[in-house]
mmCIF file of all heavy atoms in Angstrom:
data_model
loop_
_atom_site.group_PDB
_atom_site.id
_atom_site.type_symbol
_atom_site.label_atom_id
_atom_site.label_comp_id
_atom_site.label_asym_id
_atom_site.label_seq_id
_atom_site.Cartn_x
_atom_site.Cartn_y
_atom_site.Cartn_z
ATOM 1 N N TYR A 1154 -7.486 57.424 -54.619
ATOM 2 C CA TYR A 1154 -7.652 56.867 -53.272
ATOM 3 C C TYR A 1154 -6.408 56.080 -52.866
ATOM 4 O O TYR A 1154 -5.913 56.208 -51.747
ATOM 5 C CB TYR A 1154 -8.879 55.931 -53.195
ATOM 6 C CG TYR A 1154 -10.206 56.638 -53.365
ATOM 7 C CD1 TYR A 1154 -11.261 56.053 -54.064
ATOM 8 C CD2 TYR A 1154 -10.437 57.887 -52.809
ATOM 9 C CE1 TYR A 1154 -12.480 56.689 -54.212
ATOM 10 C CE2 TYR A 1154 -11.657 58.539 -52.949
ATOM 11 C CZ TYR A 1154 -12.674 57.929 -53.658
ATOM 12 O OH TYR A 1154 -13.879 58.567 -53.800
ATOM 13 N N CYS A 1245 -13.658 51.007 -42.200
ATOM 14 C CA CYS A 1245 -13.001 52.259 -41.802
ATOM 15 C C CYS A 1245 -13.960 53.456 -41.746
ATOM 16 O O CYS A 1245 -13.869 54.270 -40.819
ATOM 17 C CB CYS A 1245 -11.863 52.554 -42.771
ATOM 18 S SG CYS A 1245 -10.687 51.197 -42.878
ATOM 19 N N THR A 1246 -14.850 53.593 -42.720
ATOM 20 C CA THR A 1246 -15.722 54.778 -42.742
ATOM 21 C C THR A 1246 -16.666 54.803 -41.526
ATOM 22 O O THR A 1246 -16.716 55.808 -40.809
ATOM 23 C CB THR A 1246 -16.504 54.850 -44.068
ATOM 24 O OG1 THR A 1246 -15.551 54.929 -45.135
ATOM 25 C CG2 THR A 1246 -17.410 56.060 -44.130
ATOM 26 N N PRO A 1247 -17.387 53.707 -41.241
ATOM 27 C CA PRO A 1247 -18.239 53.731 -40.045
ATOM 28 C C PRO A 1247 -17.435 53.907 -38.754
ATOM 29 O O PRO A 1247 -17.901 54.582 -37.834
ATOM 30 C CB PRO A 1247 -18.943 52.369 -40.065
ATOM 31 C CG PRO A 1247 -18.746 51.825 -41.419
ATOM 32 C CD PRO A 1247 -17.576 52.470 -42.030
ATOM 33 N N CYS A 1250 -16.838 57.495 -38.412
ATOM 34 C CA CYS A 1250 -18.082 58.188 -38.000
ATOM 35 C C CYS A 1250 -18.299 58.034 -36.497
ATOM 36 O O CYS A 1250 -18.710 58.986 -35.823
ATOM 37 C CB CYS A 1250 -19.285 57.613 -38.735
ATOM 38 S SG CYS A 1250 -19.274 57.892 -40.498
ATOM 39 N N VAL A 1268 -29.832 55.564 -39.366
ATOM 40 C CA VAL A 1268 -28.844 55.422 -40.431
ATOM 41 C C VAL A 1268 -29.607 55.404 -41.743
ATOM 42 O O VAL A 1268 -30.533 54.601 -41.912
ATOM 43 C CB VAL A 1268 -28.034 54.110 -40.271
ATOM 44 C CG1 VAL A 1268 -27.018 53.956 -41.396
ATOM 45 C CG2 VAL A 1268 -27.347 54.064 -38.906
ATOM 46 N N ILE A 1269 -29.261 56.292 -42.643
ATOM 47 C CA ILE A 1269 -29.943 56.317 -43.947
ATOM 48 C C ILE A 1269 -29.028 55.631 -44.948
ATOM 49 O O ILE A 1269 -27.944 56.137 -45.259
ATOM 50 C CB ILE A 1269 -30.257 57.761 -44.396
ATOM 51 C CG1 ILE A 1269 -30.834 58.576 -43.230
ATOM 52 C CG2 ILE A 1269 -31.231 57.751 -45.578
ATOM 53 C CD1 ILE A 1269 -31.015 60.047 -43.554
ATOM 54 N N GLY A 1270 -29.450 54.467 -45.428
ATOM 55 C CA GLY A 1270 -28.631 53.647 -46.333
ATOM 56 C C GLY A 1270 -28.283 52.333 -45.658
ATOM 57 O O GLY A 1270 -28.087 52.289 -44.448
ATOM 58 N N ARG A 1271 -28.238 51.250 -46.441
ATOM 59 C CA ARG A 1271 -27.979 49.917 -45.877
ATOM 60 C C ARG A 1271 -26.917 49.170 -46.671
ATOM 61 O O ARG A 1271 -27.020 47.954 -46.887
ATOM 62 C CB ARG A 1271 -29.271 49.103 -45.815
ATOM 63 C CG ARG A 1271 -29.920 48.958 -47.162
ATOM 64 C CD ARG A 1271 -31.082 48.006 -47.157
ATOM 65 N NE ARG A 1271 -31.869 48.158 -48.367
ATOM 66 C CZ ARG A 1271 -32.940 47.469 -48.648
ATOM 67 N NH1 ARG A 1271 -33.372 46.564 -47.814
ATOM 68 N NH2 ARG A 1271 -33.596 47.675 -49.778
ATOM 69 N N SER A 1272 -25.898 49.894 -47.160
ATOM 70 C CA SER A 1272 -24.840 49.203 -47.916
ATOM 71 C C SER A 1272 -23.970 48.390 -46.955
ATOM 72 O O SER A 1272 -23.935 48.662 -45.753
ATOM 73 C CB SER A 1272 -23.965 50.210 -48.662
ATOM 74 O OG SER A 1272 -23.166 50.943 -47.759
ATOM 75 N N ASN A 1273 -23.265 47.392 -47.523
ATOM 76 C CA ASN A 1273 -22.365 46.563 -46.707
ATOM 77 C C ASN A 1273 -21.161 47.364 -46.227
ATOM 78 O O ASN A 1273 -20.547 47.033 -45.216
ATOM 79 C CB ASN A 1273 -21.864 45.365 -47.530
ATOM 80 C CG ASN A 1273 -22.964 44.368 -47.784
ATOM 81 O OD1 ASN A 1273 -23.951 44.310 -47.037
ATOM 82 N ND2 ASN A 1273 -22.826 43.593 -48.844
ATOM 83 N N ILE A 1274 -20.828 48.420 -46.984
ATOM 84 C CA ILE A 1274 -19.606 49.178 -46.695
ATOM 85 C C ILE A 1274 -19.849 50.224 -45.606
ATOM 86 O O ILE A 1274 -18.995 50.466 -44.768
ATOM 87 C CB ILE A 1274 -19.101 49.843 -48.001
ATOM 88 C CG1 ILE A 1274 -18.591 48.762 -48.948
ATOM 89 C CG2 ILE A 1274 -18.045 50.891 -47.742
ATOM 90 C CD1 ILE A 1274 -18.246 49.266 -50.341
ATOM 91 N N VAL A 1275 -21.020 50.857 -45.638
ATOM 92 C CA VAL A 1275 -21.286 51.942 -44.679
ATOM 93 C C VAL A 1275 -22.518 51.657 -43.798
ATOM 94 O O VAL A 1275 -22.408 51.525 -42.575
ATOM 95 C CB VAL A 1275 -21.468 53.317 -45.380
ATOM 96 C CG1 VAL A 1275 -21.491 54.421 -44.324
ATOM 97 C CG2 VAL A 1275 -20.380 53.599 -46.396
ATOM 98 N N GLY A 1276 -23.703 51.595 -44.409
ATOM 99 C CA GLY A 1276 -24.948 51.577 -43.626
ATOM 100 C C GLY A 1276 -25.028 50.447 -42.607
ATOM 101 O O GLY A 1276 -25.266 50.691 -41.423
ATOM 102 N N VAL A 1292 -32.712 51.743 -39.314
ATOM 103 C CA VAL A 1292 -32.056 51.856 -40.614
ATOM 104 C C VAL A 1292 -33.130 52.149 -41.651
ATOM 105 O O VAL A 1292 -34.097 51.394 -41.765
ATOM 106 C CB VAL A 1292 -31.311 50.555 -40.991
ATOM 107 C CG1 VAL A 1292 -30.638 50.694 -42.356
ATOM 108 C CG2 VAL A 1292 -30.271 50.196 -39.930
ATOM 109 N N VAL A 1293 -32.997 53.254 -42.373
ATOM 110 C CA VAL A 1293 -33.950 53.525 -43.457
ATOM 111 C C VAL A 1293 -33.223 53.392 -44.792
ATOM 112 O O VAL A 1293 -32.016 53.561 -44.869
ATOM 113 C CB VAL A 1293 -34.644 54.909 -43.324
ATOM 114 C CG1 VAL A 1293 -35.365 55.030 -42.009
ATOM 115 C CG2 VAL A 1293 -33.670 56.048 -43.495
ATOM 116 N N HIS A 1294 -33.976 53.054 -45.818
ATOM 117 C CA HIS A 1294 -33.374 52.772 -47.126
ATOM 118 C C HIS A 1294 -34.365 53.122 -48.221
ATOM 119 O O HIS A 1294 -35.441 53.682 -47.938
ATOM 120 C CB HIS A 1294 -32.925 51.304 -47.198
ATOM 121 C CG HIS A 1294 -33.960 50.351 -46.701
ATOM 122 N ND1 HIS A 1294 -35.013 49.963 -47.482
ATOM 123 C CD2 HIS A 1294 -34.122 49.765 -45.496
ATOM 124 C CE1 HIS A 1294 -35.778 49.149 -46.783
ATOM 125 N NE2 HIS A 1294 -35.265 49.015 -45.576
ATOM 126 N N SER A 1295 -34.028 52.744 -49.446
ATOM 127 C CA SER A 1295 -34.837 53.184 -50.588
ATOM 128 C C SER A 1295 -36.273 52.647 -50.559
ATOM 129 O O SER A 1295 -37.159 53.218 -51.172
ATOM 130 C CB SER A 1295 -34.160 52.774 -51.893
ATOM 131 O OG SER A 1295 -33.902 51.394 -51.859
ATOM 132 N N ARG A 1296 -36.508 51.544 -49.828
ATOM 133 C CA ARG A 1296 -37.871 50.983 -49.762
ATOM 134 C C ARG A 1296 -38.613 51.402 -48.490
ATOM 135 O O ARG A 1296 -39.742 50.943 -48.259
ATOM 136 C CB ARG A 1296 -37.821 49.452 -49.820
ATOM 137 C CG ARG A 1296 -37.084 48.874 -51.015
ATOM 138 C CD ARG A 1296 -37.958 48.862 -52.255
ATOM 139 N NE ARG A 1296 -37.248 48.234 -53.356
ATOM 140 C CZ ARG A 1296 -37.370 46.965 -53.709
ATOM 141 N NH1 ARG A 1296 -38.181 46.183 -53.058
ATOM 142 N NH2 ARG A 1296 -36.669 46.486 -54.721
ATOM 143 N N SER A 1297 -38.002 52.198 -47.644
ATOM 144 C CA SER A 1297 -38.663 52.605 -46.392
ATOM 145 C C SER A 1297 -39.871 53.468 -46.701
ATOM 146 O O SER A 1297 -39.842 54.293 -47.624
ATOM 147 C CB SER A 1297 -37.697 53.400 -45.506
ATOM 148 O OG SER A 1297 -36.645 52.597 -45.069
ATOM 149 N N ALA A 1300 -39.323 57.656 -44.966
ATOM 150 C CA ALA A 1300 -37.994 57.730 -44.334
ATOM 151 C C ALA A 1300 -37.824 59.063 -43.608
ATOM 152 O O ALA A 1300 -37.208 59.136 -42.547
ATOM 153 C CB ALA A 1300 -36.908 57.566 -45.398
ATOM 154 N N ALA A 1312 -26.051 59.880 -42.636
ATOM 155 C CA ALA A 1312 -26.558 59.806 -44.013
ATOM 156 C C ALA A 1312 -25.519 59.162 -44.920
ATOM 157 O O ALA A 1312 -24.412 59.681 -45.073
ATOM 158 C CB ALA A 1312 -26.885 61.213 -44.503
ATOM 159 N N ALA A 1313 -25.860 58.008 -45.497
ATOM 160 C CA ALA A 1313 -24.961 57.305 -46.428
ATOM 161 C C ALA A 1313 -25.803 56.826 -47.600
ATOM 162 O O ALA A 1313 -26.110 55.646 -47.736
ATOM 163 C CB ALA A 1313 -24.274 56.145 -45.732
ATOM 164 N N VAL A 1314 -26.214 57.757 -48.427
ATOM 165 C CA VAL A 1314 -27.194 57.481 -49.480
ATOM 166 C C VAL A 1314 -26.579 57.594 -50.882
ATOM 167 O O VAL A 1314 -26.862 56.793 -51.770
ATOM 168 C CB VAL A 1314 -28.389 58.472 -49.383
ATOM 169 C CG1 VAL A 1314 -29.556 57.987 -50.233
ATOM 170 C CG2 VAL A 1314 -28.833 58.692 -47.961
ATOM 171 N N GLY A 1315 -25.778 58.628 -51.089
ATOM 172 C CA GLY A 1315 -25.239 58.880 -52.425
ATOM 173 C C GLY A 1315 -26.183 59.719 -53.277
ATOM 174 O O GLY A 1315 -26.164 59.626 -54.504
ATOM 175 N N ARG A 1316 -27.026 60.528 -52.622
ATOM 176 C CA ARG A 1316 -27.940 61.452 -53.331
ATOM 177 C C ARG A 1316 -27.632 62.875 -52.864
ATOM 178 O O ARG A 1316 -27.844 63.163 -51.670
ATOM 179 C CB ARG A 1316 -29.401 61.154 -52.993
ATOM 180 C CG ARG A 1316 -29.851 59.771 -53.343
ATOM 181 C CD ARG A 1316 -30.334 59.717 -54.790
ATOM 182 N NE ARG A 1316 -30.510 58.342 -55.219
ATOM 183 C CZ ARG A 1316 -31.648 57.682 -55.160
ATOM 184 N NH1 ARG A 1316 -32.727 58.274 -54.713
ATOM 185 N NH2 ARG A 1316 -31.727 56.453 -55.577
ATOM 186 N N LEU A 1319 -30.003 65.371 -50.361
ATOM 187 C CA LEU A 1319 -31.348 64.799 -50.174
ATOM 188 C C LEU A 1319 -31.966 65.239 -48.839
ATOM 189 O O LEU A 1319 -33.159 65.538 -48.757
ATOM 190 C CB LEU A 1319 -31.250 63.261 -50.216
ATOM 191 C CG LEU A 1319 -32.511 62.480 -49.875
ATOM 192 C CD1 LEU A 1319 -33.501 62.549 -51.035
ATOM 193 C CD2 LEU A 1319 -32.188 61.021 -49.562
ATOM 194 N N ILE A 1320 -31.141 65.278 -47.796
ATOM 195 C CA ILE A 1320 -31.669 65.495 -46.443
ATOM 196 C C ILE A 1320 -31.585 66.979 -46.081
ATOM 197 O O ILE A 1320 -30.486 67.519 -45.878
ATOM 198 C CB ILE A 1320 -30.894 64.625 -45.427
ATOM 199 C CG1 ILE A 1320 -31.240 63.159 -45.675
ATOM 200 C CG2 ILE A 1320 -31.235 64.970 -43.982
ATOM 201 C CD1 ILE A 1320 -30.178 62.337 -46.222
ATOM 202 N N TRP A 1324 -36.040 66.907 -42.562
ATOM 203 C CA TRP A 1324 -35.763 65.535 -42.134
ATOM 204 C C TRP A 1324 -35.231 65.498 -40.693
ATOM 205 O O TRP A 1324 -35.035 64.401 -40.149
ATOM 206 C CB TRP A 1324 -34.683 64.896 -43.015
ATOM 207 C CG TRP A 1324 -35.068 64.528 -44.392
ATOM 208 C CD1 TRP A 1324 -35.490 65.353 -45.384
ATOM 209 C CD2 TRP A 1324 -35.028 63.212 -44.979
ATOM 210 N NE1 TRP A 1324 -35.720 64.657 -46.534
ATOM 211 C CE2 TRP A 1324 -35.441 63.331 -46.321
ATOM 212 C CE3 TRP A 1324 -34.678 61.939 -44.514
ATOM 213 C CZ2 TRP A 1324 -35.519 62.242 -47.185
ATOM 214 C CZ3 TRP A 1324 -34.740 60.857 -45.372
ATOM 215 C CH2 TRP A 1324 -35.175 61.012 -46.691
ATOM 216 N N ASP A 1333 -22.565 63.292 -42.157
ATOM 217 C CA ASP A 1333 -22.848 63.197 -43.600
ATOM 218 C C ASP A 1333 -21.729 62.418 -44.292
ATOM 219 O O ASP A 1333 -20.623 62.922 -44.483
ATOM 220 C CB ASP A 1333 -22.934 64.627 -44.177
ATOM 221 C CG ASP A 1333 -23.441 64.647 -45.603
ATOM 222 O OD1 ASP A 1333 -23.623 63.562 -46.193
ATOM 223 O OD2 ASP A 1333 -23.650 65.760 -46.138
ATOM 224 N N VAL A 1334 -22.028 61.163 -44.647
ATOM 225 C CA VAL A 1334 -21.018 60.306 -45.277
ATOM 226 C C VAL A 1334 -20.956 60.559 -46.791
ATOM 227 O O VAL A 1334 -19.936 60.317 -47.431
ATOM 228 C CB VAL A 1334 -21.328 58.809 -45.003
ATOM 229 C CG1 VAL A 1334 -20.249 57.907 -45.581
ATOM 230 C CG2 VAL A 1334 -21.459 58.552 -43.508
ATOM 231 N N GLY A 1335 -22.010 61.071 -47.350
ATOM 232 C CA GLY A 1335 -22.120 61.212 -48.809
ATOM 233 C C GLY A 1335 -21.000 62.038 -49.435
ATOM 234 O O GLY A 1335 -20.593 63.055 -48.873
ATOM 235 N N ILE A 1336 -20.538 61.560 -50.565
ATOM 236 C CA ILE A 1336 -19.594 62.346 -51.370
ATOM 237 C C ILE A 1336 -20.164 62.347 -52.787
ATOM 238 O O ILE A 1336 -20.143 61.308 -53.464
ATOM 239 C CB ILE A 1336 -18.183 61.726 -51.388
ATOM 240 C CG1 ILE A 1336 -17.619 61.609 -49.965
ATOM 241 C CG2 ILE A 1336 -17.242 62.562 -52.260
ATOM 242 C CD1 ILE A 1336 -16.225 60.985 -49.906
ATOM 243 N N ASN A 1337 -20.720 63.463 -53.192
ATOM 244 C CA ASN A 1337 -21.359 63.536 -54.517
ATOM 245 C C ASN A 1337 -20.761 64.698 -55.287
ATOM 246 O O ASN A 1337 -20.678 65.812 -54.770
ATOM 247 C CB ASN A 1337 -22.857 63.789 -54.346
ATOM 248 C CG ASN A 1337 -23.503 62.804 -53.373
ATOM 249 O OD1 ASN A 1337 -23.638 61.632 -53.682
ATOM 250 N ND2 ASN A 1337 -23.887 63.270 -52.194
ATOM 251 N N VAL A 1348 -20.502 67.739 -52.803
ATOM 252 C CA VAL A 1348 -21.491 68.008 -51.753
ATOM 253 C C VAL A 1348 -21.865 66.682 -51.087
ATOM 254 O O VAL A 1348 -21.636 65.603 -51.638
ATOM 255 C CB VAL A 1348 -22.783 68.678 -52.297
ATOM 256 C CG1 VAL A 1348 -22.492 70.052 -52.874
ATOM 257 C CG2 VAL A 1348 -23.486 67.795 -53.316
ATOM 258 N N GLY A 1349 -22.445 66.790 -49.912
ATOM 259 C CA GLY A 1349 -22.851 65.589 -49.186
ATOM 260 C C GLY A 1349 -24.257 65.143 -49.531
ATOM 261 O O GLY A 1349 -24.884 65.658 -50.471
ATOM 262 N N ASP A 1350 -24.774 64.211 -48.736
ATOM 263 C CA ASP A 1350 -26.164 63.775 -48.869
ATOM 264 C C ASP A 1350 -27.095 64.725 -48.123
ATOM 265 O O ASP A 1350 -28.323 64.649 -48.259
ATOM 266 C CB ASP A 1350 -26.337 62.367 -48.282
ATOM 267 C CG ASP A 1350 -25.624 61.312 -49.107
ATOM 268 O OD1 ASP A 1350 -25.329 61.582 -50.287
ATOM 269 O OD2 ASP A 1350 -25.353 60.224 -48.561
ATOM 270 N N GLY A 1369 -15.196 66.354 -43.500
ATOM 271 C CA GLY A 1369 -15.883 65.708 -42.379
ATOM 272 C C GLY A 1369 -15.436 64.260 -42.254
ATOM 273 O O GLY A 1369 -14.361 63.965 -41.739
ATOM 274 N N VAL A 1370 -16.278 63.365 -42.789
ATOM 275 C CA VAL A 1370 -16.015 61.924 -42.660
ATOM 276 C C VAL A 1370 -14.814 61.484 -43.515
ATOM 277 O O VAL A 1370 -14.042 60.610 -43.105
ATOM 278 C CB VAL A 1370 -17.277 61.124 -43.067
ATOM 279 C CG1 VAL A 1370 -17.007 59.628 -43.077
ATOM 280 C CG2 VAL A 1370 -18.436 61.455 -42.142
ATOM 281 N N GLY A 1371 -14.655 62.092 -44.697
ATOM 282 C CA GLY A 1371 -13.618 61.653 -45.655
ATOM 283 C C GLY A 1371 -12.252 61.410 -45.023
ATOM 284 O O GLY A 1371 -11.712 60.294 -45.130
ATOM 285 N N PRO A 1372 -11.657 62.397 -44.340
ATOM 286 C CA PRO A 1372 -10.313 62.192 -43.774
ATOM 287 C C PRO A 1372 -10.261 61.076 -42.727
ATOM 288 O O PRO A 1372 -9.211 60.463 -42.518
ATOM 289 C CB PRO A 1372 -9.990 63.548 -43.118
ATOM 290 C CG PRO A 1372 -10.940 64.529 -43.711
ATOM 291 C CD PRO A 1372 -12.152 63.770 -44.123
ATOM 292 N N MET A 1373 -11.408 60.813 -42.079
ATOM 293 C CA MET A 1373 -11.419 59.779 -41.033
ATOM 294 C C MET A 1373 -11.275 58.372 -41.612
ATOM 295 O O MET A 1373 -10.765 57.471 -40.955
ATOM 296 C CB MET A 1373 -12.719 59.853 -40.230
ATOM 297 C CG MET A 1373 -12.855 61.089 -39.396
ATOM 298 S SD MET A 1373 -11.538 61.206 -38.176
ATOM 299 C CE MET A 1373 -12.265 60.312 -36.799
ATOM 300 N N THR A 1374 -11.754 58.190 -42.850
ATOM 301 C CA THR A 1374 -11.708 56.854 -43.450
ATOM 302 C C THR A 1374 -10.254 56.375 -43.575
ATOM 303 O O THR A 1374 -9.914 55.262 -43.160
ATOM 304 C CB THR A 1374 -12.403 56.878 -44.828
ATOM 305 O OG1 THR A 1374 -13.770 57.222 -44.614
ATOM 306 C CG2 THR A 1374 -12.339 55.541 -45.527
ATOM 307 N N ILE A 1375 -9.394 57.227 -44.109
ATOM 308 C CA ILE A 1375 -7.991 56.835 -44.278
ATOM 309 C C ILE A 1375 -7.313 56.695 -42.916
ATOM 310 O O ILE A 1375 -6.528 55.770 -42.691
ATOM 311 C CB ILE A 1375 -7.225 57.844 -45.168
ATOM 312 C CG1 ILE A 1375 -7.770 57.782 -46.600
ATOM 313 C CG2 ILE A 1375 -5.739 57.564 -45.158
ATOM 314 C CD1 ILE A 1375 -6.918 58.465 -47.640
HETATM 315 P P1 NAD B 2237 -24.739 52.532 -51.888
HETATM 316 O O1 NAD B 2237 -25.212 53.050 -53.207
HETATM 317 O O2 NAD B 2237 -24.106 51.198 -51.819
HETATM 318 O O3 NAD B 2237 -25.980 52.547 -50.869
HETATM 319 C C1 NAD B 2237 -26.876 53.614 -50.820
HETATM 320 C C2 NAD B 2237 -27.998 53.282 -49.865
HETATM 321 O O4 NAD B 2237 -28.908 54.377 -49.838
HETATM 322 C C3 NAD B 2237 -28.800 52.055 -50.277
HETATM 323 O O5 NAD B 2237 -28.840 51.157 -49.188
HETATM 324 C C4 NAD B 2237 -30.204 52.575 -50.592
HETATM 325 O O6 NAD B 2237 -31.225 51.711 -50.130
HETATM 326 C C5 NAD B 2237 -30.245 53.898 -49.835
HETATM 327 N N1 NAD B 2237 -31.115 54.878 -50.480
HETATM 328 C C6 NAD B 2237 -31.130 55.253 -51.774
HETATM 329 N N2 NAD B 2237 -32.062 56.207 -51.989
HETATM 330 C C7 NAD B 2237 -32.652 56.431 -50.800
HETATM 331 C C8 NAD B 2237 -33.685 57.311 -50.359
HETATM 332 N N3 NAD B 2237 -34.298 58.120 -51.203
HETATM 333 N N4 NAD B 2237 -34.031 57.288 -49.044
HETATM 334 C C9 NAD B 2237 -33.420 56.456 -48.169
HETATM 335 N N5 NAD B 2237 -32.425 55.623 -48.539
HETATM 336 C C10 NAD B 2237 -32.048 55.599 -49.833
HETATM 337 O O7 NAD B 2237 -23.764 53.679 -51.308
HETATM 338 P P2 NAD B 2237 -22.583 53.610 -50.200
HETATM 339 O O8 NAD B 2237 -21.416 52.866 -50.733
HETATM 340 O O9 NAD B 2237 -23.147 53.225 -48.878
HETATM 341 O O10 NAD B 2237 -22.195 55.163 -50.165
HETATM 342 C C11 NAD B 2237 -23.125 56.149 -49.800
HETATM 343 C C12 NAD B 2237 -22.492 57.506 -49.968
HETATM 344 O O11 NAD B 2237 -21.361 57.591 -49.095
HETATM 345 C C13 NAD B 2237 -21.963 57.793 -51.366
HETATM 346 O O12 NAD B 2237 -22.118 59.173 -51.629
HETATM 347 C C14 NAD B 2237 -20.474 57.465 -51.254
HETATM 348 O O13 NAD B 2237 -19.695 58.181 -52.180
HETATM 349 C C15 NAD B 2237 -20.198 57.911 -49.848
HETATM 350 N N6 NAD B 2237 -19.050 57.247 -49.200
HETATM 351 C C16 NAD B 2237 -18.168 58.048 -48.561
HETATM 352 C C17 NAD B 2237 -17.090 57.482 -47.901
HETATM 353 C C18 NAD B 2237 -16.144 58.387 -47.159
HETATM 354 O O14 NAD B 2237 -15.023 58.024 -46.911
HETATM 355 N N7 NAD B 2237 -16.576 59.571 -46.768
HETATM 356 C C19 NAD B 2237 -16.900 56.107 -47.915
HETATM 357 C C20 NAD B 2237 -17.854 55.296 -48.552
HETATM 358 C C21 NAD B 2237 -18.932 55.887 -49.197
#
Side-chain angles (χ1 to χ4, degrees):
Y1154 293 142
C1245 304
T1246 300
C1250 294
V1268 179
I1269 315 173
R1271 58 172 166 180
S1272 71
N1273 290 337
I1274 291 172
V1275 190
V1292 180
V1293 302
H1294 47 80
S1295 54
R1296 305 279 183 96
S1297 294
V1314 194
R1316 300 273 168 94
L1319 173 75
I1320 291 110
W1324 288 62
D1333 189 354
V1334 183
I1336 301 179
N1337 309 290
V1348 296
D1350 292 340
V1370 174
M1373 292 299 271
T1374 297
I1375 293 194

